[in-house]
Each structure stands twice: as structure tokens, then as C-alpha cells.
Amino acid sequence: MGDKGNLKGARAEEAIRNVFLHAGYYVVRALPYKFKDRDVTDIDLWLYGKSGLFRERVNVDIKNKKTPQAIERFFWALGVMHVLRLDRCIVVTTESNPAVVEFGRRSNVAVIDGQYLHDAQAMPDASRLSEEQLFSALQPIGAEELGKELLGRYHSAKARLLTHMTFDGCNLHIVDIRKCFEELIAYPGVQDAIRRVLYATLSYLAVTVDFLAVKMEFTDFERRQHTIETGFRYGTAGRNRLDEFGKVLDLCKRPDRPEDSNVISQIVKSLKVEAGNLRADIIAEFMTKQLAGYGLFKLAVQLESQAFAISCSPIVELPTELKSFVLVLADFFGIERTKVLAC
């Protein structure tokens, strides 16, 4: 019975995901939320929408049950929205009672009722893998350890959309993207699975930078580029935090232990050199150009679609704008473009 219930829930979540994808949202399903390494809950759907200068992040709670207890779900969805500092919440229920919709309206919760859910499930999208099918695709036969690593990386990356919509989150995505490049080159027999994780993570990176760009809307190109470059180079705290860290280490120097002072000086110098040597300008220039209009948002949507495509395209066959994004990251890592295009 439990498996049957899970299957019903999965079908409903996929159906509603497709509804919002067709409505123009960027959509991620089954985001795990953790607090200090403790599993707290899963978000059925996370929506990211863009309209002009405005962005919104929305949590969607979906219950495909005979006794949906819809009004209780309103309180749950509102609580998730407030805890995660999202902008709106939606409850999808099999309930069709008009009073439920009215209660949701008064509670500032959008409601998708049973009839709409039924109609949505009657029109599945055969052009995409479901979340469950993607999980299977990420675990290729004969490469169990790599498959476990890819699946864990995928879960961790999408979880950042709930907790790390920051430059620190971007830099964690960058680390995962580099791993994908290295594995694509090292494991040619399982490139399909690795590409899917690569495309998904690239989409998370793009949507995160698009979200951060809200604070840059009324700045010129150069200032936007500088902000993005600094974020990729130094993280959320920026260059000032690195300078402060250097000062703290300087205070640790002891006149009676010159050898310690030399080590501390080397640490500070190495940190600054390493940050300065990053080719963050390459990513920043590309991202800043894409911010015009809906460029970066569209990149995110298209990359997500590539990750879930029935047939996952090799990098060389990607549309030009997506291929350019991949190759910019290859340049950032100092990986030869020809090696990446062969994956």
C-alpha cells in the first residue's frame, strides 16, 4: 500500500511540475531540506519565476490522497514558506470543496483543486524523464560507486536552492561542475549519467546568479560584472572578509616565534594569490551579458530540460548558447575545449 501511495504521489507531482513548466516557471521536484545535517522534510516542488524586474520563489505542497486534509496542508505550506523565506506557497489537493479554496484565498495560499489535478494527470509529458527515471539514469550498470556519487551530488546540489541562493552556493556548484568535467573525461562509458548531473547543476548555477542579480538591476554593466566577479572570487562575504581573516592571522604572530610568523604570512599570501588567480572574470563577463532580458533564466530552463531529456545530448550537440556556457566553465577550469566537446 505504501508503494502504491508513493506512486500516486509521484504521478501527481510530475503532472503539476509539467503544468508549471509549461506556464514558464523554472521547476525542481523533491528538494531535500536539512538543518545541521538533520533531514527535516522534502519540498514537493520549488518554483522560480521571473517577470520583468521581479523574481519569486514558491513552495508547492501536493497531496494526492482520498482524505487530503487540505486545510491542514495550508498551515504546513505557509510554515515552510516563512521558514525558508520564500515568496508564495501553493497547495495542490484532491479536494474539490469550494470552501477549501475560499479558506486558502483568505489564508493567502493558492489552491489547485481536485478537478485540475485530475485533468493535469490525464496529460503526461512523454518528452521528459520523471524524477524517478532520472534517478535510475544516474546509476549506470557496472559503475555502482560512481552512480552513488552522482546521485548524492545531484541531491546536494538541488538542496542548495533552498538554503544557498548565494555566491557561496554558486561556488559549491562550481566545485560540482568541475567534478563532472573530470569524470566525463575519465569515464567515457558512462557519460550520459554524468552529463545529466552536469546540465542540472549548471542550471542551478544560472538560476542562482539570476536571483542574485535582483540587487544589481539598476547598476551599469561594469558594476554588475565586478559584483559577480567578486562573488565568484571571494564568496558571499567578499574581499573584505579575506582581508579581515588576514588581519586576524597577523594578530596571532608571536615575536618570540619567528617561524610561526613566517608560516602565517605564507598562509595569508597563498590565500590572496589563489583568489586573485581564479579566472572569475571569464564567468562574470558571460553571466553579465546573459542577464540582459531573460537570458540567464532561459539558460537555466533549457539546461534543466536537457538534464531530463529522454535522450541526453552530448555537449557538442547542445544549442549554441548552452554550449557556450559549458565552454566558459571549461575555460575557467583550464580544461581544453576539445576534450569537453568530445563528451
Side-chain angles (χ1 to χ4, degrees), residues 202-222:
L202 284 166
S203 80
Y204 304 152
L205 175 62
V207 83
T208 301
V209 175
D210 184 82
F211 174 73
L212 293 171
V214 171
K215 298 177 182 178
M216 312 174 211
E217 289 291 358
F218 300 102
T219 58
D220 57 30
F221 183 92
E222 287 74 18

Side-chain angles (χ1 to χ4, degrees), residues 1 73 147 153 161 191 253 323:
M1 286 294 291
R73 303 313 302 177
R153 190 184 311 160
L161 296 173
Q191 288 179 338
K253 293 179 179 179
K323 193 189 309 178

Side-chain angles (χ1 to χ4, degrees), residues 4-304:
K4 186 176 179 181
N6 290 338
L7 183 60
K8 282 182 63 179
R11 282 202 303 262
E13 290 173 18
E14 285 296 326
I16 298 301
R17 165 148 72 175
N18 291 333
V19 167
F20 284 110
L21 284 172
H22 289 301
Y25 281 90
Y26 176 86
V27 188
V28 183
R29 183 185 153 210
L31 283 76
Y33 175 63
K34 292 186 176 184
F35 181 75
K36 294 187 176 181
D37 296 326
R38 291 189 62 180
D39 293 324
V40 178
T41 188
D42 285 341
I43 308 302
D44 294 334
L45 295 181
W46 180 88
L47 314 180
Y48 180 82
K50 181 173 181 177
S51 177
L53 301 178
F54 301 99
R55 278 81 161 171
E56 68 170 355
R57 295 170 298 160
V58 185
N59 58 295
V60 183
D61 183 76
I62 303 171
K63 285 294 172 285
N64 188 20
K65 295 183 176 180
K66 289 183 179 180
T67 54
Q69 299 177 313
I71 290 179
E72 290 185 17
R73 303 313 302 177
F74 295 160
F75 291 101
W76 172 262
L78 283 167
V80 169
M81 181 187 76
H82 288 297
V83 168
L84 298 179
R85 299 178 182 179
L86 304 178
D87 305 298
R88 281 203 301 140
C89 63
I90 298 171
V91 168
V92 181
T93 174
T94 52
E95 180 69 72
S96 297
N97 189 333
V100 171
V101 178
E102 174 66 14
F103 186 88
R105 186 184 64 79
R106 293 188 181 191
S107 306
N108 202 28
V109 178
V111 182
I112 294 177
D113 67 12
Q115 186 59 53
Y116 195 101
L117 175 59
H118 177 269
D119 293 344
Q121 291 184 94
M123 298 182 292
D125 187 347
S127 67
R128 292 173 54 96
L129 298 181
S130 68
E131 195 78 19
E132 289 73 22
Q133 289 170 328
L134 180 70
F135 292 167
S136 296
L138 298 186
Q139 301 177 77
I141 297 173
E144 286 75 16
E145 286 303 314
L146 178 61
K148 187 184 299 184
E149 162 67 18
L150 289 173
L151 192 59
R153 190 184 311 160
Y154 171 69
H155 283 304
S156 296
K158 68 177 177 177
R160 292 179 202 130
L161 296 173
L162 297 177
T163 58
H164 286 78
M165 292 285 278
T166 62
F167 279 114
D168 288 345
C170 289
N171 288 330
L172 289 171
H173 290 319
I174 289 288
V175 171
D176 284 345
I177 290 166
R178 177 163 195 156
K179 289 179 183 175
C180 287
F181 278 136
E182 292 170 346
E183 289 165 351
L184 280 170
I185 296 168
Y187 303 102
V190 291
Q191 288 179 338
D192 182 273
I194 301 166
R195 280 197 303 267
R196 291 184 187 277
V197 176
L198 172 64
Y199 296 159
T201 311
L202 284 166
S203 80
Y204 304 152
L205 175 62
V207 83
T208 301
V209 175
D210 184 82
F211 174 73
L212 293 171
V214 171
K215 298 177 182 178
M216 312 174 211
E217 289 291 358
F218 300 102
T219 58
D220 57 30
F221 183 92
E222 287 74 18
R223 289 177 65 185
R224 285 189 190 185
Q225 183 172 339
H226 175 73
T227 300
I228 295 172
E229 180 179 341
T230 301
F232 278 106
R233 196 180 298 280
Y234 301 108
T236 302
R239 173 63 185 263
N240 291 338
R241 180 60 63 87
L242 181 58
D243 290 340
E244 289 172 7
F245 182 64
K247 291 176 183 178
V248 170
L249 287 178
D250 282 337
L251 292 174
C252 295
K253 293 179 179 179
R254 293 175 51 180
D256 59 324
R257 292 183 61 85
E259 63 276 17
D260 289 354
S261 296
N262 291 334
V263 170
I264 290 171
S265 296
Q266 281 298 115
I267 291 173
V268 174
K269 182 179 179 181
S270 296
L271 287 172
K272 291 183 176 180
V273 168
E274 184 176 349
N277 285 341
L278 285 175
R279 295 302 311 277
D281 56 312
I282 298 175
I283 303 179
E285 182 179 5
F286 178 86
M287 293 284 198
T288 307
K289 289 178 179 177
Q290 292 297 320
L291 282 175
Y294 283 71
L296 208 53
F297 179 80
K298 287 181 178 177
L299 275 182
V301 170
Q302 292 171 14
L303 283 161
E304 190 274 347

